[in-house]
Amino acid sequence: MPGINKLAATKVARISKPGRYGDGAGLWLQVAKAGSKSWIFQFTSQGRERQLGLGSLATVSLADARKKAKAARDLVAEGVDPIEAKQAQRQQAIVADAKRVTFEEAAEGYMAAHGPSWRNEKHRAQWASTLKTYAYPTIGKVALPDIDTPMILKLLKPIWTTKPETAGRVRGRIENILDAAKAEGNRTGDNPARWKGHLDHLLPALTKIKAVKHHAAMPYGDMAKFMASLKMRTGISVRALEVLILTASRTGALIGMRDEEVDFAERVWTVPASRMKTGKEHLVPLSDRTIAILKSVEREKGNPHFFAGLSKGSHISNMAMLALMKHVAPDYVPHGFRSTFTDWANETTATPHHVVEMALAHSIQSKTERAYRRGTLFEKRRELMNAWSAYLYPEKKPK
């Protein structure tokens, strides 16, 4: 192109007089009064004269300035204003940077959004704890679009065979968070934490390596003697454990028992859905012994919970009964008494299986049986729980 490349690098270096010095085709070297030098590209867009800054001579050489000027001229030739193009590019970079949310930020947002729908505070705490322990060290500070399969494998492999249950939960939680991130537009493509059709080709199925570990359950033949020993002890944890066993309940449901849930006249305890594993309200028939224990428990004034905790107005910890068991029967755990109850009911009574399952608040698996057993079979369950109480506290003292 004629009339370009008028300046020489040596001349550009020597120029000190303030003013503008043309290189041709719209490229100018501008020297300020203070002595600083910078490059400008002058062009006409939609009838207006405009100037695009190309940078300081200190950082942009003559050769580089000519390349930038040519790129700007090409845009003008295509009818594009290079200043507007530069602004649009800068805005896109800002938007892209804003979308580079890290996994930890996305996880915290996911938990804040979904936490209110989860069963209880313990479930929320487990989410936060497992992610902090197993996911954040590897992908916590990684931007969502950059998370890939090798990263997921790196954090899962160390626990996949040693802590299979935890590993399965971590994988599922990561998958949920990344799915949500994709829905929000913060990442694209396949989910690297997806199991079916992806990680199932890279890791062994948990069902193949997971050793089924049942909660240690005391033989029902030993229960009368054990309950007699508990009866001789004092303490809120002791009374809570007795009621736990009498009602074949889960720890999480029992420790939160409140005044408004117990109807002494009707002899029933209504466990709200929020404390049930099934997420459904559960009615528990109360035996004479259970009623007697609840009425005898020493209560904290103003505390609606039957089994008061250490903090004012709270209930006992979910570890309180486990700690007690380590002293009175270290080979067993509180949850195991549900298995003890099941063994006793199935082996020593004629109670139908579905009644036992409903007493345990288990979901009935068969669709046909679920449809047939729509009621709570409450009176049959009351008979069963009264028989269980009588077995636990026989009139004749155990030897």
Side-chain angles (χ1 to χ4, degrees):
M1 179 183 292
I4 65 170
N5 300 341
K6 298 178 180 179
L7 298 175
T10 53
K11 180 180 179 181
V12 167
R14 290 197 305 269
I15 294 175
S16 60
K17 184 179 179 181
R20 295 175 62 181
Y21 302 84
D23 186 56
L27 177 61
W28 295 83
L29 174 68
Q30 179 172 276
V31 181
K33 290 182 179 180
S36 61
K37 303 175 184 180
S38 60
W39 297 105
I40 292 174
F41 175 69
Q42 187 169 311
F43 64 98
T44 300
S45 176
Q46 297 180 353
R48 293 185 302 158
E49 284 215 353
R50 310 199 70 188
Q51 294 181 355
L52 172 67
L54 301 180
S56 168
L57 177 62
T59 55
V60 180
S61 67
L62 173 60
D64 290 338
R66 286 170 176 169
K67 290 178 182 178
K68 288 189 174 187
K70 182 181 183 306
R73 281 196 300 273
D74 291 343
L75 289 175
V76 173
E78 295 173 4
V80 178
D81 186 320
I83 293 178
E84 293 179 358
K86 185 176 181 180
Q87 291 173 341
Q89 188 177 28
R90 184 183 294 115
Q91 186 60 36
Q92 288 176 354
I94 293 173
V95 173
D97 186 62
K99 285 189 174 183
R100 290 185 70 78
V101 178
T102 66
F103 178 80
E104 185 174 342
E105 291 170 338
E108 296 299 321
Y110 185 94
M111 289 186 285
H114 294 270
S117 68
W118 292 337
R119 290 192 306 272
N120 50 49
E121 187 59 39
K122 181 180 178 182
H123 187 58
R124 288 189 284 273
Q126 287 175 337
W127 261 76
S129 176
T130 53
L131 291 174
K132 182 178 180 180
T133 303
Y134 302 107
Y136 290 174
T138 302
I139 61 174
K141 303 303 180 184
V142 179
L144 291 170
D146 299 334
I147 297 173
D148 56 18
T149 301
M151 292 181 188
I152 300 301
L153 289 173
K154 181 180 178 180
L155 69 89
L156 287 179
K157 280 185 175 181
I159 58 173
W160 196 254
T161 56
T162 58
K163 300 178 180 179
E165 186 173 350
T166 298
R169 288 175 179 171
V170 170
R171 185 209 61 77
R173 287 164 185 172
I174 294 174
E175 181 180 15
N176 288 340
I177 292 166
L178 294 183
D179 276 345
K182 184 176 181 179
E184 292 175 342
N186 286 331
R187 65 170 282 126
T188 58
D190 293 335
N191 191 325
R194 189 182 76 248
W195 176 252
K196 191 173 183 180
H198 184 55
L199 290 181
D200 59 349
H201 297 301
L202 304 172
L203 293 169
L206 291 175
T207 53
K208 302 293 185 181
I209 60 175
K210 182 178 178 181
V212 178
K213 183 179 180 181
H214 297 287
H215 290 283
M218 183 177 291
Y220 61 80
D222 296 339
M223 287 302 297
K225 185 176 181 180
F226 177 69
M227 297 303 280
S229 69
L230 282 185
K231 195 173 181 181
M232 300 297 292
R233 289 176 172 270
T234 59
I236 199 71
S237 297
V238 176
R239 301 288 81 83
L241 182 60
E242 276 195 275
V243 175
L244 181 88
I245 295 170
L246 282 160
T247 56
S249 301
R250 291 185 173 89
T251 299
L254 188 282
I255 60 176
M257 181 188 281
R258 297 169 60 95
D259 286 323
E260 65 270 21
E261 298 171 6
V262 177
D263 187 332
F264 285 110
E266 296 296 326
R267 310 169 72 79
V268 61
W269 168 32
T270 303
V271 188
S274 61
R275 293 209 311 278
M276 291 300 299
K277 186 175 182 179
T278 58
K280 298 178 181 178
E281 183 181 271
H282 181 54
L283 303 181
V284 182
L286 303 177
S287 65
D288 289 345
R289 174 60 186 165
T290 308
I291 293 287
I293 293 173
L294 293 178
K295 287 184 175 181
S296 69
V297 169
E298 186 175 346
R299 303 291 298 276
E300 176 187 40
K301 187 176 181 180
N303 189 340
H305 298 102
F306 276 89
F307 306 107
L310 296 177
S311 302
K312 187 175 178 62
S314 68
H315 58 66
I316 60 172
S317 161
N318 63 341
M319 299 298 290
M321 288 181 284
L322 181 60
L324 171 64
M325 288 296 294
K326 289 181 179 179
H327 290 289
V328 298
D331 293 335
Y332 307 106
V333 296
H335 193 82
F337 290 114
R338 285 169 57 84
S339 294
T340 301
F341 167 78
T342 302
D343 292 342
W344 165 82
N346 289 333
E347 296 178 20
T348 70
T349 76
T351 307
H353 176 71
H354 63 269
V355 176
V356 178
E357 290 295 284
M358 292 189 75
L360 292 165
H362 283 166
S363 296
I364 299 174
Q365 299 303 315
S366 166
K367 291 183 179 180
T368 302
E369 192 170 348
R370 278 204 305 271
Y372 183 68
R373 307 293 181 186
R374 291 188 186 279
T376 61
L377 298 172
F378 190 74
E379 290 308 316
K380 288 185 179 294
R381 290 198 288 116
R382 185 184 292 282
E383 292 176 10
L384 176 63
M385 302 317 289
N386 284 337
W388 174 234
S389 178
Y391 180 81
L392 296 174
Y393 301 93
E395 293 185 5
K396 184 178 179 181
K397 292 183 179 181
K399 295 181 180 180

